[in-house]
Amino acid sequence: MKQSHSWLPAAAAGGAAGLVNGFFGGGGGMVLVPLLMGRCGLDRRRAFANSVAIILPLCILSAVIYYTKGQLDPMTAMPYLAGGLLGGWLGGKLFQKVPVAWLKRIFALLILYGAWTSLTR
């Protein structure tokens, strides 16, 4: 597995994910996974795992900004947070059991679903 020894590709990938996450309120991982694989040399599983670790603080930062701007109601978000925590725990448990070929397909379907719903609303 080749890994980048330069901070520049890693910082650029993080910057792109942060920009997308802040601008759209999420989705930074959709940008980050391909960048971690292509520019930073991580294999698919490491790219997915690192994306989760990188996106967490970006999401927290974005949530704080949205909250201070009056755009986030924490009580409205709570049921989604509870479901997301459960889903994240289950996904983390299943992650090592799912073949990489299926991870690629699932990831591609999620990107297509996001694009489709964005275009049809």
Side-chain angles (χ1 to χ4, degrees):
M1 167 182 63
K2 86 176 177 177
Q3 287 193 345
S4 175
H5 296 291
S6 171
W7 265 67
L8 189 57
L19 182 67
V20 169
N21 216 57
F23 191 69
F24 295 112
M30 296 293 182
V31 172
L32 193 55
V33 169
L35 289 172
L36 288 173
M37 289 176 7
R39 297 285 180 192
C40 300
L42 297 180
D43 64 68
R44 189 166 303 275
R45 285 196 190 274
R46 287 188 188 269
F48 282 129
N50 279 278
S51 174
V52 170
I54 294 164
I55 291 299
L56 175 63
L58 297 178
C59 287
I60 291 169
L61 176 62
S62 294
V64 167
I65 291 170
Y66 284 122
Y67 179 77
T68 60
K69 299 286 185 186
Q71 300 296 316
L72 172 63
D73 175 13
M75 294 313 293
T76 301
M78 282 302 157
Y80 300 98
L81 176 60
L85 290 172
L86 180 62
W89 176 81
L90 182 61
K93 290 290 190 183
L94 294 174
F95 180 66
Q96 288 298 324
K97 297 177 176 144
V98 177
V100 172
W102 279 100
L103 288 175
K104 289 172 25 177
R105 291 179 184 120
I106 293 166
F107 186 66
L109 287 173
L110 285 173
I111 291 174
L112 291 173
Y113 173 75
W116 177 256
T117 57
S118 293
L119 293 173
T120 59
R121 290 187 184 170

